[in-house]
Amino acid sequence: MYTQALNIRPDSGERQLEDADLTVRFQARIDAEERIEPNDWMPAAYRRTLTRQISQHAHSEIVGMLPEGNWLTRAPSLRRKAALLAKVQDECGHGLYLYAAAETLGSSREELVDQLLSGKAKYSSIFNYPTLTWADIGAIGWLVDGAAIMNQIPLCRCSYGPYARAMIRVCKEESFHQRQGYEIMLTLSRGTPEQKDMAQDALNRWWWPCLMMFGPPDAASLHSDTSTLWKIKRFSNDELRQKFVDATVPQARILGLSLPDPELRLDEETGHWRYGEIDWNEFKQVIAGNGPCNRERLAARRKAHDEGEWVREAALAYAQKQRDKALAA
Amino acid sequence: MAGPMMPLWEVFIRSRNGLAHKHVGSLHAADATLALQAARDVYTRRGEGLSIWVVPSTAIIASDPSDAGMMFEPAETKIYRHPTFYEVPDDVGHM
């Protein structure tokens, strides 16, 4: 049930102390693979962690519309344009499912949006990179959505019911995104030499930022331990990153494109592709707000929000007027 | 965060004729007309439905999870409410 009104509960001192018994029973339910639902008792830290993670995920979907929206009016054919438009609409829908899931934990939509616009909340680092050519739309669908799917499939089994259900919907819809991106890359890589170069250039620019999407290496990750205990997270950052690399290397071969990593090699013993050192300094800079497009993305979101203010006001005023009329009649 | 908050609505969709409306999620909208339009955009982009209900979230009365034992456990011991509880000779065939 996605009901905000049912979540408003007094925050008494008693609950903040957190009954040891309740905590033990909560963990036992998690261990038994039971789903936690909005009105169930949960530790305050579980609520906080999930609110942060789900709202960041929602913000990422919303900000993620911007790099792709950049090419909507310049898609090379009506077919490509219709597909890209449908994909951008999906991202918006995914943001809305996720905000609804986050709200069941007791934060209002307005608060969550405010956290994004004020810069307090983060969103995925990947959306702070620019889309310079049409091939970037192919690379985003293939790699960014590919990495997102890798992350999101295990989240369908997350211990928090509303988040897991939202992820099931998202994953169902997402599978077309990666295929449309790969098809764009395939068409370009089998096109003229200039088109193939364009595809290679996009791959060169997006590869490393995509590997960063999985977050810091396991040794440095702040949130992983409790998230694993609570079954919010099923695989570590490095495990998911490795899965992504292993899945992507053969796909790049089929495109006839090369991954921009001279150290990439197959580890015969384990069957895994070993990749070179990731530039974690770049990741930190982008997260800290200094990526190529951070300011532009936030400015675009703020502008859209401000320019929609009168529409929201008018809709609420009209609804109030209709209610008043009905009462008077 | 200026002004009043957008009301929350629960969305129910009937997927095919003959099936009941099923809860699919929620959304914010100023009034019922806008809620229906938003539900159509957010929840039926791939032909998921033939009919939509939107209900103000505040109109839903939910059972308390801490009462789950009291409410639902009594049914668990009443196996005689299921057809498999009763023995019928094989030659009777399907019954």
Side-chain angles (χ1 to χ4, degrees), chain A residues 103-310:
Chain A
E103 286 174 82
T104 64
L105 291 159
S107 304
S108 72
R109 176 78 55 100
E110 286 83 354
E111 274 175 82
L112 299 174
V113 170
D114 199 55
Q115 287 168 3
L116 170 68
L117 299 180
S118 69
K120 193 180 157 222
K122 306 279 184 217
Y123 54 87
S124 178
S125 57
I126 195 75
F127 301 117
N128 291 312
Y129 291 86
T131 42
L132 303 179
T133 71
W134 171 251
D136 288 26
I137 298 304
I140 287 181
W142 172 37
L143 300 172
V144 176
D145 288 86
I149 292 169
M150 222 38 116
N151 242 321
Q152 287 169 172
I153 285 177
L155 284 173
C156 295
R157 291 186 294 128
C158 159
S159 61
Y160 189 55
Y163 193 23
R165 291 191 287 274
M167 288 329 298
I168 291 171
R169 283 189 75 88
V170 168
C171 285
K172 264 189 201 162
E173 298 182 354
E174 198 99 15
S175 57
F176 110 74
H177 297 181
Q178 196 185 13
R179 290 171 68 104
Q180 70 91 36
Y182 193 75
E183 194 196 76
I184 291 172
M185 293 302 270
L186 194 67
T187 307
L188 290 173
S189 62
R190 291 180 181 172
T192 63
E194 288 82 4
Q195 286 171 328
K196 188 172 182 184
D197 287 349
M198 198 198 274
Q200 182 65 57
D201 168 65
L203 173 54
N204 292 349
R205 282 181 291 109
W206 288 93
W207 175 248
W208 291 104
C210 279
L211 294 192
M212 295 173 198
M213 280 177 72
F214 296 94
D218 293 349
S221 181
L222 290 170
H223 307 300
S224 283
D225 284 342
T226 42
S227 289
T228 306
L229 184 71
W230 285 331
K231 303 206 172 172
I232 296 170
K233 211 174 161 66
R234 300 267 174 174
F235 297 96
S236 76
N237 294 353
D238 285 337
E239 283 169 333
L240 289 169
R241 192 167 11 246
Q242 186 64 59
K243 274 186 190 215
F244 174 72
V245 173
D246 290 342
T248 309
V249 170
Q251 294 166 357
R253 289 255 160 100
I254 294 170
L255 293 175
L257 301 176
S258 53
L259 295 170
D261 179 357
E263 291 174 52
L264 190 73
R265 59 175 181 83
L266 182 66
D267 182 341
E268 301 279 356
E269 226 168 88
T270 60
H272 291 305
W273 286 89
R274 299 297 173 202
Y275 47 90
E277 186 77 23
I278 294 170
D279 182 357
W280 292 113
N281 192 43
E282 177 182 326
F283 177 72
K284 276 185 207 135
Q285 285 297 320
V286 177
I287 290 286
N290 303 318
C293 299
N294 294 57
R295 285 169 195 82
E296 190 185 325
R297 299 291 185 238
L298 263 191
R301 284 314 310 153
R302 285 188 190 127
K303 181 165 178 277
H305 191 74
D306 291 347
E307 289 178 353
E309 181 71 45
W310 73 269

Side-chain angles (χ1 to χ4, degrees), chain A residues 50-78:
Chain A
L50 273 168
T51 303
R52 192 194 61 239
Q53 179 171 338
I54 303 173
S55 62
Q56 283 182 8
H57 198 159
H59 301 328
S60 303
E61 301 282 353
I62 299 298
V63 177
M65 291 193 284
L66 297 170
E68 294 185 294
N70 182 37
W71 281 91
L72 276 175
T73 56
R74 290 173 288 157
S77 70
L78 189 56

